[in-house]
Amino acid sequence: PEHGEGGAGNSCLFRHLHAELHIFPGVVERTAHGQEVESELIAAVKFGPEDKIRSVVGDVVGKMEETKVHYRQYQAYILAVINALTQLSQQYDLRINDMFGVQTDYFEILTKVEKTENIRQYLTEVAFKMNRAMEEERSNTTKNVIQEARQYIQENFRDPDLSVEKICRHLHMSPAYFSTVFKKETGQAYIAYLTDVRLNRAVELLMTTEDKTYIIAEKVGYPEQNYFSYVFKKKFGVSPTKFRGAR
């Protein structure tokens, strides 16, 4: 399997790099900023924007060029960066072949890097691909969560205690984050969306049944008839009774 092979490749590469850095101890001293820059690169790939990615990749390559290290040291450092990116790809379940433009396996990436004259451009392209794929994955995850929230509201709007906190316990999300993404995806705040669902159902019941107003209020999640009438009139401009009388 792709991930299994990748994992073995990572382990192998770690040993390879460890040996390289011992053969050339200067690379550790002369690139003490190395891990810090790698962390910056990972953060840029995760969250963008593309200008930031381009800038950090420039730092990654530029600093090594500036220090004028031995070619083997330079190569070992670049491989460490590639290794960090492949680990990130696996963490987010991205297809390494697609991200790195290779056909076979992990070690083809190393060959490709060795043959690539413009390593800055190659790393930038890889980082862009990863960033876009991660953004798409996050977006799809958010859409799925909001779809689940809508479904939950449709099934539970009759519950007068259907609060943000209650739906978030069901979704295993923080109320603050849920409220932000819900409004972004639906264009409405949660309470406004829930109110619309309840009142649309109330209109349906007013038009198709002879139920008393207080019964309809309870059926759509308003135990207090007066409050139901207030919310209804605020949206439709007339009381539930007058609305029904005008049908």
Side-chain angles (χ1 to χ4, degrees), residues 137-155:
E137 180 62 30
R138 275 194 287 268
S139 177
N140 290 340
T141 302
T142 300
K143 282 183 171 63
N144 291 340
V145 167
I146 297 309
Q147 185 54 42
E148 188 180 346
R150 284 171 152 162
Q151 185 67 33
Y152 189 79
I153 290 167
Q154 289 294 338
E155 292 169 1

Side-chain angles (χ1 to χ4, degrees), residues 37-236:
V37 173
E38 276 177 45
S39 298
E40 275 185 44
L41 178 61
I42 296 303
V45 169
K46 280 184 180 179
F47 306 111
E50 291 193 348
D51 284 350
K52 177 68 174 172
I53 293 172
R54 193 176 282 107
S55 166
V56 175
V57 169
D59 287 346
V60 167
V61 179
K63 297 285 186 189
M64 284 302 292
E65 289 172 347
E66 282 170 23
T67 52
K68 294 183 173 56
V69 295
H70 188 284
Y71 173 72
R72 292 283 295 232
Q73 296 171 306
Y74 173 80
Q75 187 185 42
Y77 178 69
I78 293 301
L79 293 185
V81 172
I82 291 288
N83 191 60
L85 291 176
T86 52
Q87 283 193 306
L88 186 64
S89 294
Q90 289 176 324
Q91 185 185 332
Y92 278 79
D93 208 25
L94 307 179
R95 286 181 57 81
I96 286 178
N97 295 10
D98 294 340
M99 296 302 107
F100 289 87
V102 294
Q103 296 300 319
T104 53
D105 59 19
Y106 186 87
F107 286 97
E108 190 185 339
I109 299 169
L110 310 188
T111 309
K112 191 179 181 81
V113 169
E114 285 176 1
K115 291 178 179 175
T116 299
E117 286 185 18
N118 193 340
I119 192 68
R120 186 187 305 246
Q121 184 181 337
Y122 175 67
L123 283 180
T124 303
E125 287 169 2
V126 168
F128 281 177
K129 278 189 208 169
M130 289 177 64
N131 174 256
R132 288 168 196 145
M134 290 159 99
E135 281 294 326
E136 190 177 331
E137 180 62 30
R138 275 194 287 268
S139 177
N140 290 340
T141 302
T142 300
K143 282 183 171 63
N144 291 340
V145 167
I146 297 309
Q147 185 54 42
E148 188 180 346
R150 284 171 152 162
Q151 185 67 33
Y152 189 79
I153 290 167
Q154 289 294 338
E155 292 169 1
N156 295 278
F157 68 86
R158 298 168 190 82
D159 176 2
D161 299 318
L162 188 59
S163 62
V164 170
E165 287 73 23
K166 190 166 191 175
I167 197 168
C168 285
R169 280 197 295 275
H170 171 73
L171 296 170
H172 307 292
M173 292 178 78
S174 79
Y177 179 69
F178 170 77
S179 297
T180 301
V181 296
F182 189 88
K183 184 161 189 179
K184 185 178 176 184
E185 286 295 320
T186 66
Q188 285 184 294
Y190 166 75
I191 193 67
Y193 183 89
L194 175 60
T195 300
D196 277 356
V197 170
R198 285 171 165 167
L199 294 183
N200 289 340
R201 178 60 177 153
V203 165
E204 196 181 318
L205 293 172
L206 284 166
M207 300 295 281
T208 59
T209 74
E210 298 302 325
D211 288 344
K212 300 282 190 189
T213 304
Y214 77 91
I215 297 290
I216 290 175
E218 286 178 357
K219 283 184 175 180
V220 299
Y222 294 103
E224 296 287 336
Q225 182 187 338
N226 287 344
Y227 183 65
F228 166 66
S229 296
Y230 164 77
V231 173
F232 191 96
K233 186 173 183 179
K234 189 175 177 186
K235 181 170 177 67
F236 296 109

